[in-house]
Amino acid sequence: MSAISQTRRGAPHDARPRRLPPAPPLLAQGVIWAGAAGVLALWWTGTGSVVGPAGWLTGAGRITGLLAGYACAVLVALMARVPLLDHNLGSDRLARWHAMGGRYTVSLVLAHTLLIIWGYTLTSRNGVLHQTATLVLDYPDMLKATAGFLLLVGTGVISARAARRRMSYETWHYLHFATYLAVFLAFGHQLSNGADFVGRRPVQLGWYALYMTVAALIVRYRFVAPVRRALRHRLRVADVRPEAPGVVSVHLTGERLTELGARPGQFFRWRFLAPGLWWTANPYSLSAPALPHHLRITVKEVGRHSAALARLRPGTRVWAEGPYGGFTEARRRSAKVLLLAGGVGITPLRALFETLPGEVTLIYRARRPEDLALRAELDAIGATRGATVHCFVDEPATHSAPLTARALKSLIPDLAAHDVYLCGPPGMTSAARRALRGAGIPRHRIHHESFEF
């Protein structure tokens, strides 16, 4: 194999050995499942003997309804952008949990609706249509709950992969806000009609506390925090510079930017107050360490929003929500690190390459030599810190290399002793994961954060 450029390794930065911390994902999952167990205990303590098919169906409807109500609160909390959760679990993991939990929640809501109608129909001996109309029209808060049910199911439909492929990220993102309205509309019927809540004041107060806490988190971190940061830091576009075909760096200036606490590897959700851009906030990583009055992102044109950034004018106001993500030095466990980038995935790794202590190797893959964005900076950083930089491209073939365990081990003989930070397009990252696992790197030392939310 032949690398386009390579800087020889010299004396590395001082390494800082780390001990394994408690596993935040397992702790978070334990808390979520403990809450679900508490919900089941709520049903158990409020239920006497269950007799006959109608009793079993109604009981199952109550269980699925309680779990669906609890799951709605958890789903909203996962996407509240709470720094404690985001920095320890990672935005991509929270998004995956939210997506998976959303499928279960919609299933629970459907099951709850069908089971309650069926059980009540057997009890009243009325027809299904008559019993459905009675529930919707005669029971307290059921009209609002029905509207919430339709909104929640509709949100689930547009979140399916087949539907999401047909719409832009921005459209899907704003339609997804219907979830908040659905939860708000459905909340009242739980307390008005639920046998587990009626006449049980402490239980009602506990349910109110759960939902009010989640609502407070949403207001605090999704709405208040971005406005406060915008007013305090006064970010503006300073310059837009081309880095490669279809790739630009946006330089931003502001005040007291170190107070943001941004670490290399993290990202912000950027809202540019320019025509066609102000109504959406998209995630882009910092491509250089944050400075007191300067931030930089490097963006590849992959859609309307990213393409429009190349036309930004100096002086454009910017709102930045963040920093987000756990793709930082804190995940590192070994003295040696491999940074493996594909395409514009170099952006967070470029910031890490400059700042990570210890022995660091960078492998950067792209389609053509001209697609190697920030290459001059990477070579300069490698020369300064005495780190090894390997750049490979698909075209021409003389500078290509297979992404296999054997090829990686030929470049880095002691690869199994490294932590790996991986960022790139989905196909490349999947192949890299297989190669790294084949090279003997444990799964917990392969660090990857996806931006496909």
Side-chain angles (χ1 to χ4, degrees), residues 234-246:
R234 306 181 66 81
L235 277 169
R236 293 182 182 272
V237 173
D239 194 12
V240 179
R241 301 175 190 171
E243 302 286 0

Side-chain angles (χ1 to χ4, degrees), residues 202-231:
V203 175
Q204 292 177 354
L205 292 176
W207 208 249
Y208 269 114
L210 171 65
Y211 273 78
M212 289 179 69
T213 299
V214 172
L217 292 175
I218 288 291
V219 172
R220 168 69 175 82
Y221 293 108
R222 294 294 295 267
F223 298 100
V224 175
V227 174
R228 289 180 62 186
R229 289 194 182 106
L231 296 175

Side-chain angles (χ1 to χ4, degrees), residues 342-366:
V344 79
I346 190 62
T347 53
L349 298 187
R350 184 264 180 241
L352 286 167
F353 189 41
E354 182 177 342
T355 57
L356 278 176
E359 187 176 306
V360 180
T361 301
L362 172 66
I363 297 178
Y364 184 13
R365 304 172 63 91

Side-chain angles (χ1 to χ4, degrees), residues 6 12 49 58 81 98 100 123 157 174 185 198 230 236 267 276 288 302 311 349 353 361 369 374 377 397 399 407 419:
Q6 180 171 316
S49 59
T58 303
R81 300 176 186 170
H98 177 83
M100 179 179 64
T123 300
V157 170
Y174 279 98
L185 291 172
V198 174
R236 293 182 182 272
F267 68 95
V302 294
R311 301 187 294 273
L349 298 187
F353 189 41
T361 301
L374 307 175
E377 291 185 21
H399 294 295
D419 269 57

Side-chain angles (χ1 to χ4, degrees), residues 165-436:
R165 291 194 199 103
R166 300 175 182 272
M167 65 181 69
S168 67
Y169 168 82
E170 294 83 6
T171 301
W172 171 84
H173 178 73
Y174 279 98
L175 288 175
H176 209 68
F177 275 123
T179 304
Y180 295 146
L181 180 58
V183 172
F184 173 76
L185 291 172
F187 177 77
H189 93 286
Q190 301 174 73
L191 302 181
S192 300
N193 304 303
D196 303 286
F197 295 101
V198 174
R200 302 174 72 182
R201 191 62 177 170
V203 175
Q204 292 177 354
L205 292 176
W207 208 249
Y208 269 114
L210 171 65
Y211 273 78
M212 289 179 69
T213 299
V214 172
L217 292 175
I218 288 291
V219 172
R220 168 69 175 82
Y221 293 108
R222 294 294 295 267
F223 298 100
V224 175
V227 174
R228 289 180 62 186
R229 289 194 182 106
L231 296 175
R232 180 165 180 77
H233 301 293
R234 306 181 66 81
L235 277 169
R236 293 182 182 272
V237 173
D239 194 12
V240 179
R241 301 175 190 171
E243 302 286 0
V247 179
V248 298
S249 284
V250 181
H251 295 256
L252 305 113
T253 59
E255 301 174 3
R256 299 180 289 270
L257 299 183
T258 52
E259 293 180 7
L260 291 169
R263 292 178 287 174
Q266 291 187 309
F267 68 95
F268 288 79
R269 286 179 169 87
W270 304 90
R271 188 182 303 275
F272 297 91
L273 304 188
L277 294 176
W278 64 268
W279 61 285
T280 186
N282 281 22
Y284 301 117
S285 296
L286 294 176
S287 60
L291 299 175
H293 299 285
H294 181 265
L295 299 176
R296 187 184 75 176
I297 59 175
T298 301
V299 180
K300 180 177 177 62
E301 178 183 335
V302 294
R304 287 178 296 179
H305 188 277
S306 54
L309 299 191
R311 301 187 294 273
L312 285 172
R313 295 181 178 181
T316 300
R317 292 291 301 272
V318 183
W319 287 18
E321 301 175 32
Y324 297 121
F327 194 61
T328 65
E329 183 196 350
R331 291 190 176 183
R332 176 185 179 171
R333 303 291 168 256
S334 305
K336 300 179 179 180
V337 174
L338 168 63
L339 306 176
L340 181 51
V344 79
I346 190 62
T347 53
L349 298 187
R350 184 264 180 241
L352 286 167
F353 189 41
E354 182 177 342
T355 57
L356 278 176
E359 187 176 306
V360 180
T361 301
L362 172 66
I363 297 178
Y364 184 13
R365 304 172 63 91
R367 192 165 68 89
R368 302 168 301 174
E370 56 266 33
D371 294 325
L372 293 167
L374 307 175
R375 179 182 167 189
E377 291 185 21
L378 298 171
D379 288 338
I381 293 170
T384 299
R385 66 175 297 158
T388 303
V389 179
H390 300 282
C391 295
F392 297 102
V393 293
D394 298 332
E395 306 168 4
T398 54
H399 294 295
S400 66
L403 191 51
T404 62
R406 182 176 179 180
L408 290 173
K409 290 174 72 174
S410 69
L411 283 174
I412 310 170
D414 61 343
L415 179 59
H418 287 62
D419 269 57
V420 180
Y421 287 77
L422 172 64
C423 191
M428 175 264 181
T429 55
S430 297
R433 281 179 177 275
R434 291 192 296 269
L436 293 167

